[in-house]
């Protein structure tokens, strides 16, 4: 238990990165699933809606920006996961199994909570 308490700043950072990645993934799915009537509604939602619609006028650039920042966030997440896994592996006698479990769990968390779930929700209700 002490090992996880020592790692809380890293785990907090990982949680923040998962949330940021989810925002980018959900935004990508939501923005690129809008039809013309949805874009018209978006324009009528004020300044933020109009800005989002203007961003969709250059879809290649928008997609490149979203994918770049999401990739950067995910790479940072995995770098931190490697640091945490290494520290878990060094802390106890059964550290190797804890490190392996943590690494696999980290992978599943980012796949489900920052890719699959946000995109599914965004497509259902863009």
């Amino acid at each position: 238990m002490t090992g996880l308490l020592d790692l809380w700043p890293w785990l907090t950072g990982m949680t923040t990165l998962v949330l940021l990645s989810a925002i980018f993934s959900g935004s990508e799915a939501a923005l690129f699933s809008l039809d013309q009537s949805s874009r018209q509604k978006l324009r009528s939602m004020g300044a933020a809606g109009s800005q989002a619609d203007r961003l969709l006028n250059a879809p290649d650039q928008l997609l490149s920006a979203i994918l770049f920042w999401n990739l950067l966030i995910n790479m940072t997440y995995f770098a931190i996961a490697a640091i945490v896994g290494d520290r878990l592996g060094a802390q106890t006698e059964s550290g190797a199994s804890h490190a392996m479990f943590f690494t696999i769990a980290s992978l599943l968390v980012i796949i489900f909570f920052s890719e699959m779930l946000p995109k599914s929700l965004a497509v259902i209700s863009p």
Side-chain angles (χ1 to χ4, degrees):
M1 187 64 160
T2 305
L4 286 178
L5 291 177
D6 294 338
L7 300 172
W8 76 266
W10 295 104
L11 298 174
T12 302
M14 288 175 70
T15 302
T16 302
L17 290 169
V18 166
L19 293 173
L20 288 171
S21 182
I23 290 169
F24 277 100
S25 293
S27 297
E28 172 196 351
L31 288 170
F32 287 98
S33 68
L34 295 174
D35 57 14
Q36 286 302 322
S37 65
S38 297
R39 284 186 68 179
Q40 180 61 36
K41 287 180 191 174
L42 188 63
R43 282 189 288 273
S44 68
M45 296 175 103
S50 296
Q51 179 64 32
D53 183 60
R54 277 194 299 278
L55 290 172
L56 284 167
N57 290 332
D60 293 343
Q61 293 173 344
L62 176 60
L63 183 60
S64 294
I66 289 172
L67 293 176
F68 171 78
W69 287 107
N70 201 21
L71 176 64
L72 186 65
I73 289 167
N74 290 345
M75 287 173 43
T76 305
Y77 174 87
F78 284 116
I80 293 173
I83 292 168
V84 172
D86 184 55
R87 290 186 180 187
L88 282 174
Q91 283 183 351
T92 63
E93 293 176 12
S94 60
S97 61
H98 289 141
M100 186 175 6
F101 174 76
F102 178 79
T103 303
I104 292 169
S106 296
L107 177 63
L108 294 175
V109 163
I110 201 158
I111 288 172
F112 184 74
F113 290 108
S114 76
E115 295 295 330
M116 291 174 57
L117 183 63
K119 286 184 179 186
S120 298
L121 294 175
V123 169
I124 290 171
S125 178

